[in-house]
């Protein structure tokens, strides 16, 4: 019998073979860049070389025909190289300004929006959802597609006070990460337990240990070893569901979206910040999730209207105060906005600083 | 030709509108692939019922213990037969991309050819951790598909309680803010621990992310256990002629409102002759003024890195940002890189030995205290690691004199 093939454990490849020649030549030796128009970057190296980049939106989940079309465009008009941003935008690099317009024309003709640079709303960072995840409360690709259809003007123009990064997540694990606006499934009912399956499917001590509020304990139910949830303690986070699928957390009626604002990863001006809850129980309504779009557009409109140049959404809310934020966005303020998690007192106002 | 499409009235609505549609892409694949015909059927069902129908399992390749995300359909009839049998198995293979996600078209075309032959032909560029996600493969085809990617020079990414695929920004390849070789750094960090990536045996996942400056384009502080960010410790470079030109173009009020007063440590002052004063001792290298006055201001020459540890999302104790464990180290010579590799090895070894099951680095640090972690990995304390000193007196401090002596000794040696 022939030996099975063992993998070549090569890990991360070398970068060199994949770099556009102008990048390779000027690696680590760039002088400045500017943005001649939204979606286009011009980088100038100390050698005097220029590199023009055109950035376009993609759906992230791509079929081979679409990828081949994008590669045809790169071969015909962009010297055979591309890169992707962390938000699934594709970037084409060319060495001269003259190559930019034909490239943009072709991308536009093929239906790829050009933008996502500077003070725009870039592509939404998204997760897997119903298409591929084992624990999703919603779809990711569809929700992102529906939202980007509504926000495409803001992708193609740089009209925001500062850049806007939107993320979505299909459960509270929040694979989409922090965002200026984060659109995340929020469960509000404890898991529904199929006691017939728990003993066979779940490693019970692991599940007990997984609960952040110690609400799960082993129990005999109908003569079978199972788990029970103290529903007064349960925060409905869904952490028990991945290690124990019989503890179904997704509830088609009650698992809806919460919307959070003010997450920021950059260190520019203020330190990085986590996003904060602003709205909840926004309907999970496929295929176009219109209620989510309404809330997001309301927040963006207020931000665009009121924030100063270079303020991110969180910095803007901090300056005007959360009272004004809820007023300007016409969103209700509730007891659920008041943090009671560990360390949550740091999010209360321990001063007499009050706005009128 | 594949079997006919199922009716998908909800998904069909996602074929309209200006943003490129993944549904249109899936339908193109469904012309030739029964697997995608049935995938569309299952996805449409999810849109109707608002429930997901995938469960995990165990699928892998020879030699590795992770990297494949197994998915089996749970949408079955009363006799336990799949309602959409052609997508009963729909696994993902995670492949590590080149640093900075740069590609030549030939490589991408080859990915497409392999995945069209052995998989569904659906590729996500990229997953949130930074993998190329080859989506839709039967158990039978996983090995042959992986072998072909592997023969191209590409390797499996991480999954489960393991080192995960790393990310680095565009960095030195195109960015004037780049303070070190991000690609080399990320490659070195990840390739140092491939055994922990491919044979999952850590307490939980461990992620490296590498950003060339404080703009942190790969979100390293919040999204990684071990974050490396570029910085510099000498003075930022100021081209006063370009400052004057910028003030001339934008006006003094604009520069005061958007640059000078936006400095978080009030380290900038606009002079009467429209040149710029920088209090470099109090500059925290936040990058704002460099971002705005890109032509006039640049990082200094004495570049290096800051390292933060412990970023993660909510599960289980709540969100944590990474916090500083190394305020500055040089990263230019081979010796510098070796020193970073040694430190990174210390950190992951400490994590492997001391974290509880399903505990991330940040949670472990929270549990044992940063001082205990620093001692464990052999790093000295530094005021740059804190926002402010402790404000609570409940701490046993009978080692004070020895600790103060250590500090004085270090200061005297500087």
């Amino acid at each position: 019998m022939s030996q099975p093939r063992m993998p070549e454990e090569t890990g991360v490849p070398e970068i060199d073979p994949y770099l556009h020649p102008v990048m390779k030549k000027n690696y680590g030796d760039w002088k400045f860049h500017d943005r001649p128009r939204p979606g286009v970057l011009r980088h100038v190296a100390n050698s005097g070389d220029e590199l023009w980049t055109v950035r376009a939106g993609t759906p992230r989940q791509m079929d081979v025909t679409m990828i081949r079309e994008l590669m045809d465009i790169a071969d015909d008009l962009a010297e055979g190289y591309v890169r992707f941003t962390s938000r699934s935008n594709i970037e084409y690099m060319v060495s001269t300004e003259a190559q930019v317009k034909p490239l943009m024309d072709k991308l536009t003709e093929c239906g790829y929006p050009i933008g996502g640079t500077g003070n725009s709303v870039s592509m939404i960072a998204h997760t897997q959802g119903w298409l591929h995840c084992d624990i999703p409360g919603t779809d990711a690709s569809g929700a992102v597609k529906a939202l980007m259809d509504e926000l495409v003007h803001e992708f193609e123009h740089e009209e925001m006070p500062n850049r806007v990064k939107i993320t979505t997540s299909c459960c509270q694990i929040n694979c989409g990460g922090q965002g200026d606006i984060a659109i995340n499934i929020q469960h509000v009912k404890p898991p529904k337990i199929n006691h017939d399956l728990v003993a066979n499917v779940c490693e019970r001590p692991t599940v007990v240990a997984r609960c952040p509020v110690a609400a799960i304990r082993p129990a005999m139910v109908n003569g079978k070893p199972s788990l029970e949830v103290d529903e007064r303690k349960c925060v409905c986070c869904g952490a028990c569901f991945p290690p124990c699928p019989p503890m179904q957390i997704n509830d088609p009626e009650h698992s809806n979206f919460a919307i959070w604002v003010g997450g920021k990863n950059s260190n520019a001006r203020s330190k990085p910040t986590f996003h904060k809850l602003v709205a909840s129980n926004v309907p999970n309504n496929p295929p176009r999730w219109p209620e989510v779009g309404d809330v997001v557009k309301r927040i963006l409109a207020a931000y665009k209207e009121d924030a100063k140049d270079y303020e991110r959404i969180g910095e803007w809310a901090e300056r005007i105060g959360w009272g004004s934020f809820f007023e300007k966005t016409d969103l209700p303020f509730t007891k659920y906005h008041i943090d009671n998690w560990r360390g949550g007192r740091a999010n209360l106002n321990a001063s007499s600083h009050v706005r009128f | 030709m594949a079997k006919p499409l199922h009716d998908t009235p909800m998904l069909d609505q996602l074929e309209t509108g200006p943003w490129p549609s993944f549904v249109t892409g899936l339908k193109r694949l469904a012309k030739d692939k029964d697997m995608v015909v049935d995938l569309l059927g299952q996805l449409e069902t999810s849109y109707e019922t608002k429930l997901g129908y995938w469960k995990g399992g165990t699928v892998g390749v020879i030699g590795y213990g992770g990297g494949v995300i197994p998915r089996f359909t749970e949408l079955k009839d009363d006799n336990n037969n799949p309602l959409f049998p052609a997508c009963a198995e729909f696994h993902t293979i995670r492949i590590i991309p080149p640093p900075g996600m740069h590609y030549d078209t030939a490589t991408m075309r080859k990915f497409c050819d392999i995945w069209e032959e052995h998989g569904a032909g659906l590729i996500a560029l990229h997953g949130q951790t930074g993998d190329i996600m080859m989506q839709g493969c039967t158990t039978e085809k996983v090995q042959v598909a992986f072998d072909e990617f592997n023969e191209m020079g590409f390797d499996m990414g991480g999954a489960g309680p393991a080192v995960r695929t790393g990310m680095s920004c565009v960095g030195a390849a195109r960015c004037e803010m780049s303070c070190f070789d991000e690609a080399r750094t990320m490659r070195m960090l990840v390739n140092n621990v491939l055994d922990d990536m491919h044979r999952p045996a850590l307490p939980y996942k461990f992620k490296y992310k590498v950003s060339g400056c404080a703009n942190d384009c790969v979100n390293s502080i919040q999204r990684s256990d071990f974050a490396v960010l570029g910085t510099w410790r000498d003075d930022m470079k100021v081209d006063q002629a370009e400052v004057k030109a910028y003030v001339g173009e934008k006006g003094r009020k604009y520069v005061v409102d958007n640059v000078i007063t936006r400095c978080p440590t009030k380290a900038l002052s606009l002079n009467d002759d429209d040149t710029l004063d920088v209090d470099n001792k109090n500059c925290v290298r936040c990058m704002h003024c460099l971002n705005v006055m890109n032509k006039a201001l640049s990082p200094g020459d004495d570049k290096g890195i800051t390292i933060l540890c412990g970023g993660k999302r909510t599960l289980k104790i709540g969100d944590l940002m990474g916090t500083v464990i190394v305020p500055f180290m040089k990263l230019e010579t081979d010796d510098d890189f070796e020193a970073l590799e040694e430190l990174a090895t210390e950190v992951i070894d400490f994590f492997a030995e001391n974290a509880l099951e399903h505990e991330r680095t940040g949670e472990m640090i929270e549990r044992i205290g940063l001082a205990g972690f620093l001692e464990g990995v052999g790093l000295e304390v530094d005021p740059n690691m804190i926002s402010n000193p402790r404000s609570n007196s409940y701490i046993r401090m009978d080692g004070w004199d020895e600790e103060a002596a250590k500090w004085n000794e270090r200061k005297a040696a500087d």
Side-chain angles (χ1 to χ4, degrees):
Chain A
M1 202 180 124
S2 66
Q3 288 291 309
R5 178 188 180 277
M6 295 305 286
E8 293 284 340
E9 200 158 4
T10 48
V12 182
E14 287 269 18
I15 193 172
D16 271 16
Y18 309 101
L19 287 180
H20 186 284
V22 177
M23 288 179 156
K24 203 185 294 190
K25 182 184 162 202
N26 298 284
Y27 196 83
D29 201 18
W30 294 92
K31 189 171 162 57
F32 72 93
H33 83 276
D34 53 18
R35 298 192 309 278
R37 53 148 292 166
V40 179
L41 309 168
R42 179 183 66 133
H43 287 85
V44 180
N46 286 317
S47 67
D49 287 352
E50 291 193 352
L51 187 69
W52 293 73
T53 300
V54 177
R55 184 181 291 177
T58 79
R60 188 178 90 136
Q61 321 284 141
M62 287 183 271
D63 65 302
V64 289
T65 305
M66 180 181 283
I67 296 173
R68 285 174 182 142
E69 176 178 72
L70 291 167
M71 294 309 114
D72 288 344
I73 295 171
D75 281 335
D76 294 346
L77 301 165
E79 300 163 337
Y81 291 85
V82 299
R83 75 172 288 270
F84 288 85
T85 69
S86 59
R87 308 186 85 75
S88 301
N89 297 310
I90 191 167
E91 291 186 335
Y92 292 93
M93 281 69 62
V94 292
S95 345
T96 63
E97 184 178 4
Q99 293 162 280
V100 171
K101 189 168 182 306
L103 178 56
M104 290 176 65
D105 289 347
K106 184 68 183 172
L107 285 165
T108 304
E109 181 197 320
C110 294
Y112 299 102
I114 293 165
T117 53
N119 299 348
S120 65
V121 176
S122 191
M123 166 61 165
I124 299 171
H126 76 289
T127 54
Q128 296 282 35
W130 289 326
L131 184 71
H132 200 260
C133 184
D134 57 340
I135 54 170
T138 188
D139 196 31
S141 317
V144 168
K145 155 72 179 155
L147 265 168
M148 288 312 293
D149 277 346
E150 303 214 28
L151 299 176
V152 70
H153 175 88
E154 301 299 349
F155 179 85
E156 292 174 333
H157 297 81
E158 296 180 354
E159 295 172 353
M160 287 289 159
N162 201 340
R163 56 200 66 214
V164 178
K165 313 275 194 192
I166 303 180
T167 68
T168 63
S169 292
C170 312
C171 77
Q172 289 177 231
I173 292 174
N174 190 208
C175 299
Q178 296 292 321
D180 290 286
I181 303 176
I183 305 155
N184 301 345
I185 281 288
Q186 181 82 18
H187 304 297
V188 294
K189 300 289 180 194
K192 290 196 183 91
I193 307 175
N194 183 341
H195 293 288
D196 291 338
L197 296 179
V198 169
N200 288 335
V201 176
C202 315
E203 198 181 313
R204 292 189 302 152
T206 302
V207 184
V208 169
R210 198 65 59 87
C211 179
V213 293
I216 304 175
R217 57 195 170 219
M220 294 294 284
V221 183
N222 304 327
K224 288 181 183 161
S226 187
L227 294 164
E228 65 182 15
V229 172
D230 182 343
E231 299 198 350
R232 290 163 307 172
K233 284 165 92 177
C234 178
V235 290
C236 314
C237 70
C240 51
F241 182 45
C244 189
M247 299 180 76
Q248 176 61 260
I249 190 70
N250 289 305
D251 180 326
E253 188 188 345
H254 295 107
S255 294
N256 284 321
F257 285 103
I259 295 182
W260 310 69
V261 307
K264 169 174 171 290
N265 289 295
S266 162
N267 294 265
R269 302 168 305 284
S270 50
K271 292 180 180 180
T273 49
F274 292 123
H275 50 232
K276 290 105 184 148
L277 177 71
V278 294
S280 196
N281 206 26
V282 182
N284 179 17
N285 195 2
R288 285 208 160 262
W289 292 270
E291 298 86 354
V292 173
D294 283 349
V295 176
V296 169
K297 284 192 289 185
R298 208 189 302 171
I299 294 167
L300 285 173
Y303 167 64
K304 193 172 178 175
E305 162 86 27
D306 194 58
K308 295 184 175 175
D309 288 349
Y310 293 105
E311 277 178 340
R312 295 280 287 265
I313 290 181
E315 292 169 314
W316 162 63
E318 185 88 357
R319 176 176 61 81
I320 65 171
W322 288 96
S324 295
F325 175 89
F326 287 102
E327 214 169 274
K328 287 178 193 297
T329 53
D330 197 23
L331 293 167
F333 181 78
T334 70
K335 68 177 183 179
Y336 299 110
H337 290 99
I338 300 174
D339 197 349
N340 62 350
W341 191 249
R342 72 162 87 165
R345 278 189 70 83
N347 291 328
L348 308 184
N349 182 8
S351 77
S352 66
H353 294 194
V354 172
R355 286 177 170 87
F356 299 100
Chain B
M1 280 298 286
K3 62 184 182 179
L5 288 173
H6 305 284
D7 281 341
T8 53
M10 291 183 97
L11 291 173
D12 294 351
Q13 293 180 52
L14 291 170
E15 288 199 90
T16 58
W19 198 260
S21 170
F22 73 106
V23 175
T24 303
L26 289 174
K27 285 189 177 176
R28 274 195 296 259
L29 292 171
K31 283 180 194 155
D32 299 312
K33 290 186 180 287
D34 286 350
M35 179 188 257
V36 183
V37 174
D38 276 5
L39 177 76
L40 283 160
Q42 173 160 329
L43 189 57
E44 178 76 11
T45 310
S46 285
Y47 272 57
E48 284 162 9
T49 61
K50 298 204 252 184
L51 285 170
Y53 295 105
W54 301 110
K55 67 172 179 183
T58 310
V59 176
V61 297
I62 290 166
Y64 287 169
V68 179
I69 312 300
R71 289 293 177 254
F72 299 92
T73 186
E74 286 193 293
L75 200 51
K76 294 178 177 173
D77 63 18
D78 295 341
N79 298 318
N80 209 29
N81 293 316
L83 289 179
F84 297 101
C87 74
E89 297 172 351
F90 195 78
H91 316 315
T92 282
I93 301 177
R94 289 184 174 171
I95 297 292
I96 306 175
M101 296 165 176
H102 298 269
Y103 298 97
D104 65 309
T105 54
T107 298
M108 203 53 95
R109 288 181 196 281
K110 198 146 184 223
F111 284 152
C112 289
D113 293 347
I114 294 171
W115 203 235
E116 188 174 44
E117 186 183 351
H118 300 302
L122 182 67
I123 305 179
L125 297 163
H126 298 79
Q128 285 298 329
T129 299
D131 291 285
I132 305 165
M133 296 197 295
M134 302 289 176
Q135 299 192 297
C137 196
T138 60
T139 308
E140 188 199 349
K141 292 285 188 182
V142 163
Q143 183 72 51
V144 59
F146 170 70
D147 284 346
E148 292 190 20
F149 293 131
N150 195 217
E151 276 157 19
M152 287 174 69
F154 286 84
D155 201 357
M156 187 86 86
V163 168
R164 300 299 185 87
T165 299
M167 271 174 100
S168 58
C169 63
V170 66
R174 197 187 60 194
C175 186
E176 68 278 6
M177 308 295 194
S178 165
C179 289
F180 63 104
D181 188 340
E182 302 83 3
R184 177 180 175 185
T185 305
M186 194 272 277
R187 184 163 186 261
M188 181 196 74
L189 289 169
V190 172
N191 289 1
N192 179 42
V193 286
L194 288 177
D195 191 40
D196 281 322
M197 170 180 278
H198 292 134
R199 291 156 203 95
L202 293 174
Y204 199 19
K205 63 181 90 166
F206 193 95
K207 299 187 180 186
Y208 298 94
K209 288 197 187 331
V210 175
S211 282
C213 77
N215 282 319
D216 199 1
C217 287
V218 296
N219 309 341
S220 66
I221 293 179
Q222 181 257 133
R223 301 201 75 153
S224 72
D225 299 273
F226 194 98
V228 180
L229 289 100
T231 190
W232 65 94
R233 62 180 170 184
D234 58 343
D235 294 355
M236 77 162 79
K237 288 192 230 168
V238 182
D239 182 334
Q240 296 291 5
E242 287 290 352
V243 173
K244 282 188 182 181
Y246 190 81
V247 178
E249 182 197 338
K250 292 285 193 177
R252 308 198 88 209
K253 180 177 167 56
Y254 181 91
V255 175
V256 169
D257 287 352
N258 291 295
V259 183
I260 308 298
T261 59
R262 288 253 176 254
C263 173
T265 52
K266 316 271 184 286
L268 298 177
S269 176
L270 188 64
N271 296 319
D272 289 341
D273 64 355
D274 290 346
T275 58
L276 188 71
D277 258 357
V278 183
D279 173 4
N280 280 285
K281 178 74 185 155
N282 284 311
C283 165
V284 289
R285 280 67 173 162
C286 84
M287 300 304 290
H288 174 75
C289 61
L290 281 80
N291 293 342
V292 180
M293 298 175 67
N294 185 268
K295 244 174 145 171
L297 308 178
S298 334
D301 289 321
D302 191 8
K303 292 171 179 157
I305 56 168
T306 300
I307 303 173
L308 293 88
C309 245
K312 58 173 281 297
R313 194 55 178 108
T314 323
L315 250 182
K316 156 183 172 178
I317 69 168
D319 302 82
L320 298 174
M321 294 285 181
T323 63
V324 173
I325 64 161
V326 176
F328 185 85
M329 72 186 272
K330 291 293 285 181
L331 195 55
E332 283 167 7
T333 65
D334 289 350
D335 286 350
D336 295 339
F337 276 89
E338 206 172 297
L340 175 61
E341 190 177 79
E342 273 170 27
L343 173 66
T345 306
E346 283 289 336
V347 169
I348 200 164
D349 285 352
F350 187 86
F351 169 68
E353 281 163 28
N354 293 282
L356 305 174
E357 193 203 333
H358 215 259
E359 188 178 59
R360 289 286 288 274
T361 315
E363 290 167 311
M364 175 189 69
I365 294 173
E366 173 105 353
R367 179 168 55 80
I368 66 176
L370 182 65
F373 174 74
L374 294 170
E375 205 174 296
V377 299
L379 289 170
E380 304 285 2
V381 299
D382 188 289
N384 283 305
M385 295 172 179
I386 60 169
S387 293
N388 46 261
R390 143 189 325 276
S391 57
N392 182 314
S393 71
Y394 289 178
I395 167 87
R396 184 168 166 175
M397 292 195 279
D398 45 3
W400 180 273
D401 287 346
E402 290 86 339
E403 294 302 315
K406 276 189 208 165
W407 171 260
N408 290 331
E409 223 171 89
R410 272 170 62 204
K411 293 306 284 179
D414 275 351

